[in-house]
Amino acid sequence: MTENNKALTTKAPSFLDYAPAPESTSILHLKKHYGLFIDGEFVDGRGDAFTTISPATEKEIASISNANNADVDVAVAAARKAYDRTWSKLSGADRGKYLFRIARLVQERARELAVAESLDNGKPIKESRDVDVPLVAAWFFYYAGWADKLDYAGLGPNPQSLGVAAQVIPWNFPLLMLAWKIAPALAAGNTVVIKPAETTPLSAMIFAEILQQADLPKGVVNIVTGAGETGSALVNHPDVNKVAFTGSTGVGRAIAKSIAGSGKKVTLELGGKNANIVFDDAPMDQAIEGIVNGIFFNQGHVCCAGSRLLVQENVHDEVVDRLKARLSTLRMGDPLDKNTDIGAINSKAQLDRIRELSNVGEAEGAERWTAGCAIPENGFWFAPTIFTNVSTSSRIAREEVFGPVLSVLTFRTPAEAIAKANNTPYGLSAGIWSEKGSRVLAVADKLRAGVIWANTFNRFDPASPFGGYKESGYGREGGRHGLAAYLESAGWAAPAVTKGSKK
Amino acid sequence: MTRLTVPKTYKLYIGGKFPRSESGRTYEVATKKGVFLANASLASRKDARDAVVAARAAVSGWSGATGYNRGQVLYRIAELLEGRREQFIDELMATEALSKPAATTQVDTAIDAWVWYAGWADKYVQVAGNGNPVSGPYFNLSTPEPSGVIAIVAPQDSSSLLGLVSVIAPALVSGNTVVVIAHQGAPLSAISLSEVLATSDVPGGVVNILTGSPAEIAPWLASHADVNGIDLAGAEQLEWVDLQIAAADTLKRVSGPVVGVPAPSVERIVQWTETKTVWHTKSLI
């Protein structure tokens, strides 16, 4: 763990050292093996099963079926049948009732879901318990209410569902991303086949049990587990009408290419290298907390993380000093411990990438500081790290690290802050910290990003659209706009040609 | 004694100016019966790149104008087009072999399209955006904004003027700037339209019109990293799937081929916008 050597100090016990308070895993009744969830039942996959591990301990949790092309075919066929025979025939009110049922069941099994999520993903239980799972319930509640109100979604009267949606979601918010995808799709009248990430399939399996408890008609939601190949088979399946993907820009680009000309409707939520701008008149206590939340929430595994801190030059030293002081109080360790602030990096592969980019940052001349957290022996860990003296051309200022690494840059004028913030092919989120409302609004106007948080950061709400500009992808999730991604406007006047080139 | 006419030289329209193609190439435009009408510029890759540079430079001014202002400018286009109605009717009769009533209908429909879209400039934000009732002490507002530079292949089948207007007007409403490849066979009214644009308060670079071969130019626009969206409305006869694949490299927004001329719709405005959601804390009082 060379990256932590610099600041690693042996601290004397202090009031900050809490006694361990681990959440019990006794609430989990995990099976040794989970199959695919197709047509309302768990079935075995035809591919070689894989194992999902706890990134905090590297211990095996369960073995998971791997869906091959034939399994994907079966899942899509189940979704198609459910769409044609059941779900598209159901009234909006009844679709809504199923979604309300799901929302309630998520609340009832909230603790179990949170434990499973932290176990499988490595995120602190306080985040899965207080952020992820409540938002999952909220997402289903929100879209449940839309199901019988589609005429009011701003797409003209009687908008139509698209059919079968192929959905591929990432490992950073396994259950929340599942909710973001499934809730609007079902409310709009589509059926889905969803693929969770191969490192974090566990909470989706418990969610499948919830669907059984809700007595959701068979085939409306199908879950296929596996890696990239399974996802590729799913999005390229000729019988899907809609593709929704959240993940890296590289994979999003590949998906956009592979489905070109297919006529499939697409939404992509991709990467970001987001600017968090701190003006010298910022409410400093809140700003420090907001910066920490912006980049160290969920170990920085957040596409909209505030990974580029732009600080007005005259307050740079103050901000950096206070950040270091604050980071020194963060507790890293067992994700299931209720006192843990920073959990485990989700996988060995991701840890390697974070290490590599951090080393590049140092090699390119940025100054590295790492919080003095003790690193557990097993598992994948990376202590909160700050780079100062970062130049705009440095790779750590341009590439998404997707880890607890903050790059600090400076600016003098609002115009310079805006220019630097926009100096990226991405455009997902941005933060603005200033007590001056008129400045906040003017700067927000000029930033090319889909979500702007002013004097706060990393807020999510089912009523609020989320998504990117430029290479951060297209389409929005959340709110009325998120519903539109799963509907065809009946008022669309110009019919699109969806077959191949006619030349 | 009959008067010797003064034939017009048709050039490109880039950055508010009327350059010839840097390639020095032209192509012959004739009536349907084969009578020579004019030489139009055959735009090259370099012309396309120049047009994108001009379009990018114009984004901040045009998107920064108020909706009210943009609406006035779009309406001004309709006014000037109305004033030169007869010229366009004659041009369409010559290039598309249309009857006078058919040409008249096309010009009038094009004028009315400008008026219709002009009215949207200060309203689409209210229709496509909203305040969001989030569960917490936050002000939260979603507002659509233009995507940036939009490259367009204008409809190629018929209706050279109306087809062009139907694809550029909706992109302009929100503040995008455009680079458009005109109807290849009947490009003359496109250049005449640029004369209207040049005199109607549309800032230079907001609309850039290229004449020539869509098959030759479109791939450069589809793969151009500084283009934010591509409208393949008139690309049905091209290898448009390849264009869409090229566009994916920078995750451009893509709109597919359309049969005929796209009807006016608010969706065509909104498809070239991004939704920005701004959160602000509310203090406890």
Side-chain angles (χ1 to χ4, degrees):
Chain A
M1 303 294 163
T2 51
E3 68 269 8
N4 296 296
N5 286 348
K6 276 192 179 168
L8 196 59
T9 50
T10 334
K11 278 187 286 185
S14 78
F15 71 97
L16 288 171
D17 294 336
Y18 283 39
E23 178 71 84
S24 166
T25 55
S26 64
I27 195 167
L28 278 182
H29 303 287
L30 294 175
K31 299 177 202 161
K32 282 198 172 136
H33 176 77
Y34 284 93
L36 314 171
F37 185 69
I38 295 176
D39 210 17
E41 307 292 339
F42 284 99
V43 295
D44 235 356
R46 294 173 176 81
D48 295 332
F50 61 96
T51 304
T52 188
I53 62 163
S54 157
T57 59
E58 301 178 56
K59 279 188 190 149
E60 296 184 359
I61 304 171
S63 103
I64 307 284
S65 276
N66 194 352
N68 71 7
N69 290 5
D71 294 318
V72 170
D73 283 344
V74 174
V76 173
R80 173 64 58 194
K81 193 176 79 187
Y83 179 75
D84 290 341
R85 298 194 188 165
T86 318
W87 200 244
S88 67
K89 300 229 159 64
L90 217 56
S91 70
D94 283 349
R95 286 202 310 274
K97 280 186 191 169
Y98 279 115
L99 290 174
F100 277 120
R101 278 189 188 183
I102 293 168
R104 270 281 185 261
L105 289 166
V106 166
Q107 286 182 322
E108 285 164 18
R109 296 177 68 168
R111 186 167 154 205
E112 181 186 354
L113 287 165
V115 172
E117 195 77 328
S118 283
L119 189 65
D120 201 21
N121 170 278
K123 65 174 67 198
I125 186 81
K126 71 169 190 186
E127 290 177 8
S128 53
R129 182 195 60 196
D130 296 348
V131 180
D132 294 41
V133 175
L135 276 174
V136 169
W139 233 269
F140 281 100
F141 274 121
Y142 176 80
Y143 280 108
W146 265 121
D148 56 357
K149 301 171 190 67
L150 300 182
D151 285 350
Y152 302 89
L155 301 165
N158 197 23
Q160 299 297 307
S161 57
L162 303 173
V164 176
Q167 308 178 319
V168 177
I169 56 171
W171 46 259
N172 57 340
F173 293 94
L175 191 63
L176 184 59
M177 290 300 106
L178 173 144
W180 282 29
K181 295 284 179 292
I182 293 179
L186 263 48
N190 306 275
T191 58
V192 311
V193 181
I194 189 167
K195 188 197 86 71
E198 69 268 32
T199 61
T200 56
L202 200 60
S203 52
M205 297 295 108
I206 298 174
F207 182 78
E209 295 173 3
I210 286 177
L211 296 180
Q212 289 179 325
Q213 290 180 340
D215 202 22
L216 188 74
K218 290 178 189 306
V220 172
V221 171
N222 305 274
I223 303 173
V224 291
T225 40
E229 253 177 68
T230 310
S232 172
L234 179 56
V235 300
N236 289 308
H237 196 288
D239 202 28
V240 308
N241 308 95
K242 152 85 190 180
V243 172
F245 171 76
T246 295
S248 74
T249 290
V251 175
R253 189 178 282 132
I255 289 174
K257 284 186 184 192
S258 70
I259 61 171
S262 69
K264 291 172 189 170
K265 196 164 174 173
V266 199
T267 40
L268 301 171
E269 298 289 358
L270 308 177
K273 190 71 195 175
N274 312 293
N276 199 0
I277 306 170
V278 180
F279 287 99
D280 59 7
D281 66 348
M284 211 46 89
D285 292 343
Q286 290 92 324
I288 298 298
E289 289 307 304
I291 295 163
V292 172
N293 176 44
I295 181 62
F296 301 113
F297 175 67
N298 204 39
Q299 292 71 247
H301 302 327
V302 186
C303 49
C304 52
S307 54
R308 277 189 301 151
L309 183 66
L310 300 180
V311 189
Q312 199 151 20
E313 206 174 70
N314 52 325
V315 291
H316 172 270
D317 293 353
E318 181 195 348
V319 167
V320 170
D321 288 348
R322 292 185 63 172
L323 260 182
K324 287 178 181 173
R326 178 67 181 92
L327 291 184
S328 301
T329 68
L330 293 180
R331 283 177 291 266
M332 186 166 88
D334 183 4
L336 291 176
D337 190 316
K338 285 169 253 180
N339 295 321
T340 293
D341 298 302
I342 307 282
I345 300 300
N346 182 249
S347 66
K348 174 80 168 51
Q350 188 57 29
L351 178 59
D352 288 345
R353 173 165 170 79
I354 297 168
R355 284 178 175 164
E356 184 203 326
L357 271 167
S358 300
N359 291 338
V360 167
E362 222 165 358
E364 286 181 339
E367 202 173 305
R368 178 174 182 159
W369 180 91
T370 297
C373 303
I375 304 284
E377 232 169 77
N378 297 314
F380 316 125
W381 305 91
F382 196 95
T385 295
I386 300 175
F387 281 98
T388 48
N389 220 357
V390 176
S391 77
T392 47
S393 60
S394 176
R395 279 181 66 191
I396 50 167
R398 307 204 63 80
E399 292 180 33
E400 192 177 30
V401 179
F402 222 66
V405 178
L406 180 67
S407 295
V408 185
L409 299 93
T410 59
F411 68 89
R412 290 184 180 176
T413 63
E416 190 187 349
I418 290 161
K420 281 186 169 166
N422 288 338
N423 180 20
T424 165
Y426 295 114
L428 190 49
S429 80
I432 305 170
W433 296 86
S434 167
E435 282 286 34
K436 193 168 180 181
S438 59
R439 174 184 284 160
V440 166
L441 292 176
V443 172
D445 262 358
K446 301 276 186 199
L447 294 176
R448 302 288 292 161
V451 186
I452 314 267
W453 287 292
N455 295 329
T456 182
F457 211 96
N458 271 344
R459 299 284 158 207
F460 307 96
D461 192 286
S464 179
F466 177 94
Y469 283 43
K470 300 193 279 185
E471 293 185 25
S472 290
Y474 30 79
R476 294 292 178 269
E477 294 184 287
R480 189 166 67 84
H481 297 76
L483 200 63
Y486 289 93
L487 289 169
E488 196 77 70
S489 162
W492 187 265
V497 177
T498 53
K499 287 188 187 131
S501 191
K502 278 197 175 175
K503 193 176 174 184
Chain B
M1 204 168 115
T2 52
R3 178 177 168 273
L4 191 64
T5 58
V6 183
K8 177 163 137 190
T9 300
Y10 289 86
K11 297 189 282 189
L12 304 174
Y13 183 54
I14 298 175
K17 296 188 164 59
F18 294 90
R20 290 191 162 84
S21 169
E22 65 78 37
S23 65
R25 301 179 306 171
T26 58
Y27 71 109
E28 212 170 275
V29 180
T31 66
K32 290 229 162 157
K33 287 183 178 163
V35 178
F36 173 79
L37 285 172
N39 287 309
S41 290
L42 185 61
S44 66
R45 173 191 181 182
K46 177 68 161 61
D47 296 322
R49 294 169 63 96
D50 290 347
V52 173
V53 170
R56 173 59 62 196
V59 167
S60 66
W62 183 240
S63 65
T66 62
Y68 180 44
N69 188 202
R70 277 198 305 276
Q72 297 267 303
V73 173
L74 295 189
Y75 181 72
R76 180 82 179 137
I77 297 171
E79 286 182 330
L80 295 199
L81 199 50
E82 182 81 34
R84 292 169 65 165
R85 200 163 157 267
E86 294 304 321
Q87 176 203 339
F88 280 90
I89 291 169
D90 289 347
E91 218 161 35
L92 289 178
M93 286 167 66
T95 52
E96 291 187 33
L98 295 177
S99 66
K100 181 143 191 175
T104 304
T105 301
Q106 188 183 155
V107 174
D108 289 351
T109 310
I111 294 168
D112 293 351
W114 282 116
V115 175
W116 192 78
Y117 279 117
W120 271 114
D122 53 4
K123 295 168 197 71
Y124 87 96
V125 173
Q126 289 175 313
V127 172
N130 44 242
N132 308 309
V134 297
S135 311
Y138 302 99
F139 159 86
N140 186 296
L141 198 65
S142 288
T143 312
E145 293 185 343
S147 298
V149 174
I150 309 299
I152 302 173
V153 181
Q156 301 286 315
D157 288 340
S158 60
S159 307
S160 59
L161 175 68
L162 179 61
L164 182 71
V165 171
S166 300
V167 287
I168 65 175
L172 297 181
V173 168
S174 64
N176 294 293
T177 63
V178 305
V179 175
V180 60
I181 308 170
H183 189 301
Q184 184 174 11
L188 303 190
S189 61
I191 293 305
S192 294
L193 180 72
S194 65
E195 293 166 7
V196 168
L197 298 172
T199 52
S200 60
D201 308 329
V202 178
V206 168
V207 181
N208 303 275
I209 300 179
L210 304 173
T211 53
S213 161
E216 182 191 340
I217 313 165
W220 300 116
L221 294 172
S223 63
H224 197 299
D226 207 23
V227 171
N228 301 99
I230 184 160
D231 187 343
L232 299 172
E236 203 190 349
Q237 302 300 323
L238 306 181
E239 297 290 354
W240 64 267
V241 177
D242 292 344
L243 296 176
Q244 198 175 342
I245 291 169
D249 265 326
T250 52
L251 294 156
K252 289 181 184 65
R253 284 64 177 136
V254 179
S255 175
V258 165
V259 178
V261 170
S265 72
V266 71
E267 285 93 339
R268 286 202 83 78
I269 301 172
V270 173
Q271 74 178 352
W272 305 122
T273 65
E274 312 291 331
T275 297
K276 176 186 279 178
T277 301
V278 177
W279 295 64
H280 197 292
T281 44
K282 286 179 189 166
S283 72
L284 301 172
I285 49 172

